[in-house]
Amino acid sequence: MSAAINAAVEAEQAHLDRLYARLDRLRDETEARLDRSRRGHVENDQELSQRDAETHFHRRRIAQLDAVEDGLCFGRLDYVDEATPMYLGRIGMHDERGEQLLVDWRSEAGRRFYLATAASPAGVRRRRHLHTRGRRLASLNDEVLDLDAADGTASTIGSEGALMAALDAARTDRMRDIVATIQAEQDRIIRAPLEGIMIVDGAPGTGKTAVALHRAAYLLYEHREQLRRRGVLIVGPGQQFLRYISDVLPGLAETDVLLRTPAELFPGITADRPESETAAALKGRSVMAGVIASAVADRQIVPAEPRPVDYEDHTLWLRPEKITSARDAARETGLPHNEARETFHKRVIADLANQYADIIGEDPLGGENLLGLTDRATFAAEIAADPVIRGEVEQLWPELTPTRLLEDLFASPARLASAAAALGKEDRRRLHREPGGWSEADVALLDEAAEHLGEVEPERHPSGLSAEQLAYAEDVLSIATGSASFDFEDEESEILQATDVIDAAWLGERQVAKRFVSVAERAAADRRWIFGHVIVDEAQELSPMQWRALLRRCVTRSFTVAGDLAQAGSAAAPRSWSEFFGDSEPDWRAERLTVSYRTPSEILAVAGRVLDTIDADSPRPKSVRSAGHEPWLEIVQEDLPVRVAALAAEESRRVAGGTVAVVTTPEAAAELAGLEAAPVLTVKQAKGLEFDSVIVVDPDAIAQDNPRSLYVALTRATKRLGIVAPDKPHFPGAEVL
């Protein structure tokens, strides 16, 4: 290493030391503030709430400072006309005197680090990439944009530069951010305006997920005041995917983001009921919105004949014409079912009260009825309190929860025949099932039902406590009573018991949560929460009903949608994004990523043949690198689990320190379960993930129902691809193996 490089490394290490010393100081100061907040005395609920908010703020700040520890500073710009260089990092940082030590990568000043080129240097003389391990500088790499300014300090990291070094690095079980190597086409999308629906379209390995996540971090930085109140929702295809990306945003100093799968969008529902793909696809169709609306309307009943109800030794009648009028009036309010229920009930009760008044207020001399409006109002209140009559009226317009509505609907062929008349008999048969658990496809239907039904008012004690809170308090008091001393058997013991001075209502009130909760916590518990922005990854997998649920969660239609239609899990997937949005969402725009950073050219050559059968007109990605390893094929006709285990172990040795996965059909995955050398994943589970080496087992079976699934499986590898088949494979592209 030359003296110039040595001097540059020493100087950069000194600056890193200064940055980390400042980071430690900021962390210590924040921890001290947190300790003072926690110890602070409060005298009322307002002060308690303020203390909780301060405590949350300090904890969040500490989490941010901890998260940026790795790779705190990764770049430097030297300008032609400025003596002081600009250092770029994960957060902005100033010293005690206000001098800027580090510029946040999301700032406008930081943008030049990604956009400056030799053809358009924008005043930049040199761009330096800093590669660190822990708090030590491992190497540096210079890109001289002003050729007259070269000073010989470029390191020997390699001619491919920082981007290629990052792409060649071994993968782990967590996705890394690309903050140090964002490319110009990616930066343009990351910094696009908040408004509208931005579609990030691109082939495997083009960085769609990374761009979407960095866009979330950028928007939270650029629109902090707007988004901190509403938050950002990130939706991914499955838990494995969410775990894979979970470290990216914290590493970019953002911790208040809610990550969810489509199966987790309805609080309180665990969607783990198995379901056939046919039934799931049916439930995802937009026609199901009409089925749900009809199912709700079917529960607003008008009897065919008058129904008698007894009250005070008199017979009153639930008259169809009056109930029809009450139903129409309730619907005309425009309120959801449960909220319009009061209008319906009041009108039906009013008719019963009038009937009762007409009976007992009749003038025996034939004159006008002796009872006035005040009397009739009193009768209405008394009739409404009658439990039998209330039950009869409740049957005509019942209070419903989404779960009850769907359980009743799916369990009843008669209800399905009425509400789902637009579906064929075979489709209705697919929907029929007994109650017990929910599938992923059910979640969007529950959400649709909740929109039509509105909220159910929780039953409360006169104290104002919910039944759940009161039950909790009563349990506590029963334990306290059961633990009481029985040493004294006098009728009036002089020992003061807890129940002598408190009751369940008092204790329940004490346990009502009054703490400060973050935006993410509140949003996670509230189905009606409206987010400031929504990121959707693997968006091609969402059904129309799932899209309806997501669009309700961001009324401003501020979305970043990442996906690739060629990778859709359904063979019936649309061929263009306009079929997803079309005229219903006019404010949408698409950006296509054209460079595949993850997938090497050798693997794209095989996967491209499969893509030809899916969409011959789809633009082909351009790989930026060659892995130096041709995909390999092995025919295994016997002892498949044993041979795949051996191959996985061999691949693990070849990519020492990297990751290996086996991708196959659900049936073969069950046969290979328990493999120690590598995880065994279905194509659905592997979607969105990447590994250094991938072994695809039984490719023809994967492609049998949908060639897109094979295309996904073949493009999960960053270095090595192996294919294991029970016989000579016939999928497009197999001939080159």
Side-chain angles (χ1 to χ4, degrees):
M1 187 181 292
S2 69
I5 293 177
N6 278 330
V9 170
E10 290 178 3
E12 300 299 3
Q13 184 61 59
H15 190 74
L16 282 175
D17 293 342
R18 185 182 179 192
L19 291 175
Y20 278 109
R22 181 59 178 160
L23 183 70
D24 290 340
R25 178 65 181 273
L26 291 173
R27 187 186 290 112
D28 291 343
E29 291 174 350
T30 308
E31 287 176 345
R33 294 189 189 101
L34 173 61
D35 186 62
R36 288 196 296 271
S37 292
R38 285 190 299 207
R39 295 173 181 272
H41 176 69
V42 296
E43 295 185 351
N44 52 53
D45 288 346
Q46 181 178 354
E47 291 180 357
L48 175 61
S49 178
Q50 182 177 352
R51 186 184 70 178
D52 286 345
E54 291 175 356
T55 299
H56 171 76
F57 175 81
H58 296 319
R59 285 198 181 111
R60 181 176 178 275
R61 179 60 172 163
I62 291 170
Q64 290 176 327
L65 296 174
D66 288 341
V68 300
E69 170 79 24
D70 186 23
L72 173 64
C73 175
F74 55 81
R76 163 179 161 169
L77 287 183
D78 295 330
Y79 299 105
V80 173
D81 298 327
E82 297 179 30
T84 303
M86 181 193 79
Y87 283 91
L88 199 72
R90 297 175 182 276
I91 58 172
M93 194 182 297
H94 294 77
D95 65 13
E96 295 84 346
R97 300 186 303 274
E99 177 186 344
Q100 181 129 38
L101 300 176
L102 196 62
V103 171
D104 194 302
W105 68 275
R106 297 167 289 189
S107 67
E108 189 59 32
R111 189 175 193 185
R112 281 200 279 182
F113 185 83
Y114 303 110
L115 299 186
T117 64
S120 180
V124 176
R125 179 170 61 86
R126 176 177 60 190
R127 173 169 47 220
R128 171 169 289 173
H129 296 269
L130 305 174
H131 309 273
T132 58
R133 292 193 185 97
R135 296 190 169 196
R136 302 300 300 174
L137 180 67
S139 59
L140 57 83
N141 171 250
D142 283 349
E143 297 174 72
V144 179
L145 306 183
D146 183 344
L147 298 180
D148 296 331
D151 61 3
T153 63
S155 81
T156 58
I157 191 173
S159 59
E160 295 174 318
L163 173 62
M164 300 311 296
L167 296 177
D168 288 337
R171 265 50 182 178
T172 68
D173 62 351
R174 290 291 189 273
M175 183 180 183
R176 292 189 298 261
D177 63 68
I178 60 168
V179 65
T181 57
I182 293 171
Q183 302 301 293
E185 70 169 358
Q186 297 170 331
D187 184 82
R188 183 180 67 254
I189 298 171
I190 289 170
R191 299 175 190 264
L194 173 67
E195 297 77 20
I197 298 174
M198 162 69 78
I199 298 172
V200 185
D201 185 15
T206 53
K208 300 182 296 296
T209 298
V211 168
L213 293 174
H214 287 69
R215 176 162 167 74
Y218 169 76
L219 293 175
L220 284 164
Y221 171 87
E222 186 69 13
H223 303 278
R224 176 73 60 188
E225 291 301 315
Q226 181 176 348
L227 294 183
R228 73 175 180 179
R229 296 189 299 272
R230 306 308 315 169
V232 172
L233 171 66
I234 296 182
V235 179
Q239 277 300 324
Q240 286 154 311
F241 177 82
L242 294 185
R243 283 194 297 271
Y244 179 60
I245 69 170
S246 61
D247 290 345
V248 174
L249 282 166
L252 297 174
E254 295 300 341
T255 56
D256 284 339
V257 175
L258 184 64
L259 277 67
R260 285 290 183 267
T261 69
E264 298 172 318
L265 290 177
F266 200 99
I269 294 296
T270 301
D272 56 3
R273 178 170 178 154
E275 186 166 54
S276 69
E277 291 188 12
T278 304
L282 171 60
K283 290 178 179 179
R285 290 167 50 188
S286 56
V287 69
M288 290 301 297
V291 171
I292 299 300
S294 295
V296 174
D298 284 348
R299 304 302 290 267
Q300 300 163 1
I301 299 170
V302 175
E305 300 291 338
R307 290 184 184 177
V309 292
D310 294 328
Y311 182 72
E312 297 289 343
D313 298 325
H314 296 284
T315 298
L316 308 178
W317 296 89
L318 294 170
R319 300 184 287 187
E321 67 276 11
K322 294 298 184 180
I323 293 172
T324 298
S325 176
R327 183 195 63 183
D328 293 345
R331 289 178 175 178
E332 287 171 3
T333 65
L335 295 172
H337 173 89
N338 289 329
E339 296 167 33
R341 179 169 159 269
E342 182 180 2
T343 298
F344 175 83
H345 281 223
K346 283 182 176 179
R347 285 180 173 254
V348 173
I349 293 295
D351 180 53
L352 295 176
N354 284 331
Q355 292 180 49
Y356 183 66
D358 289 343
I359 294 172
I360 68 170
E362 183 180 6
D363 186 351
L365 299 179
E368 293 184 359
N369 194 290
L370 301 176
L371 301 176
L373 289 177
T374 301
D375 299 308
R376 292 168 188 263
T378 300
F379 294 154
E382 293 171 348
I383 291 172
D386 184 284
V388 175
I389 294 179
R390 193 167 63 245
E392 290 285 341
V393 177
E394 176 70 15
Q395 290 181 24
L396 302 177
W397 192 296
E399 185 176 66
L400 294 169
T401 63
T403 53
R404 179 185 168 189
L405 178 79
L406 289 191
E407 282 179 341
D408 292 350
L409 175 65
F410 291 155
S412 170
R415 290 189 189 278
L416 281 170
S418 176
L423 299 177
K425 184 176 180 180
E426 184 62 23
D427 282 341
R428 294 198 297 271
R429 187 192 64 78
R430 291 190 179 98
L431 292 176
H432 178 253
R433 74 179 196 200
E434 293 303 316
W438 301 100
S439 71
E440 178 176 317
D442 289 330
V443 170
L445 302 186
L446 289 167
D447 198 78
E448 188 78 21
E451 286 297 301
H452 286 282
L453 295 175
E455 299 305 310
V456 175
E457 188 67 26
E459 184 179 348
R460 293 191 174 274
H461 185 266
S463 65
L465 300 174
S466 69
E468 181 181 1
Q469 290 166 340
L470 191 65
Y472 168 86
E474 288 172 343
D475 285 344
V476 172
L477 290 178
S478 68
I479 293 171
T481 303
S483 302
S485 170
F486 293 98
D487 291 342
F488 297 90
E489 297 183 356
D490 298 19
E491 286 189 12
E492 295 185 11
S493 172
E494 294 182 4
I495 297 179
L496 192 65
Q497 303 295 329
T499 50
D500 294 332
V501 293
I502 62 175
D503 59 14
W506 184 92
L507 184 60
E509 185 180 356
R510 302 282 72 77
Q511 64 99 22
V512 174
K514 294 181 178 179
R515 67 183 184 88
F516 176 87
V517 293
S518 68
V519 166
E521 289 174 307
R522 281 182 284 159
D526 186 355
R527 186 198 69 82
R528 298 169 297 171
W529 188 268
I530 303 299
F531 291 89
H533 190 75
V534 177
I535 306 276
V536 184
D537 206 346
E538 300 295 337
Q540 74 279 352
E541 303 303 324
L542 294 186
S543 71
M545 291 303 296
Q546 289 171 329
W547 270 114
R548 286 175 64 89
L550 282 178
L551 289 170
R552 281 192 285 268
R553 282 158 173 75
C554 187
V555 295
T556 60
R557 299 297 195 264
S558 179
F559 278 75
T560 300
V561 177
D564 178 15
L565 296 177
Q567 297 185 63
S570 170
R575 296 175 61 87
S576 69
W577 291 108
S578 61
E579 294 183 41
F580 264 100
F581 301 108
D583 296 334
S584 62
E585 299 294 335
D587 190 16
W588 67 273
R589 57 199 185 278
E591 292 280 354
R592 183 164 185 85
L593 296 172
T594 59
V595 178
S596 181
Y597 301 98
R598 178 183 72 212
T599 313
S601 57
E602 297 91 340
I603 295 176
L604 279 183
V606 177
R609 303 289 185 92
V610 179
L611 183 58
D612 289 340
T613 68
I614 299 170
D615 186 358
D617 298 326
S618 176
R620 297 301 185 264
K622 302 173 184 177
S623 180
V624 300
R625 65 195 180 96
S626 167
H629 306 290
E630 292 295 335
W632 53 266
L633 167 68
E634 182 168 329
I635 307 299
V636 178
Q637 296 179 328
E638 296 181 356
D639 297 327
L640 180 68
V642 175
R643 185 54 185 155
V644 171
L647 291 171
E650 183 179 341
E651 287 300 307
S652 294
R653 290 190 293 271
R654 290 179 180 274
V655 294
T659 57
V660 179
V662 175
V663 181
T664 187
T665 63
E667 296 76 15
E671 185 181 357
L672 297 169
L675 200 67
E676 294 183 0
V680 180
L681 306 172
T682 65
V683 176
K684 184 177 181 179
Q685 292 170 333
K687 194 157 286 187
L689 307 182
E690 61 180 24
F691 306 90
D692 291 281
S693 177
V694 171
I695 301 173
V696 177
V697 176
D698 203 351
D700 285 346
I702 294 175
Q704 184 174 1
D705 293 329
N706 183 6
R708 290 181 172 89
S709 295
L710 180 58
Y711 181 59
V712 172
L714 294 174
T715 53
R716 299 304 95 199
T718 66
K719 294 179 181 177
R720 296 177 55 83
L721 173 65
I723 296 173
V724 173
D727 203 344
K728 181 179 179 181
H730 299 287
F731 69 87
E735 66 275 6
V736 304
L737 295 173

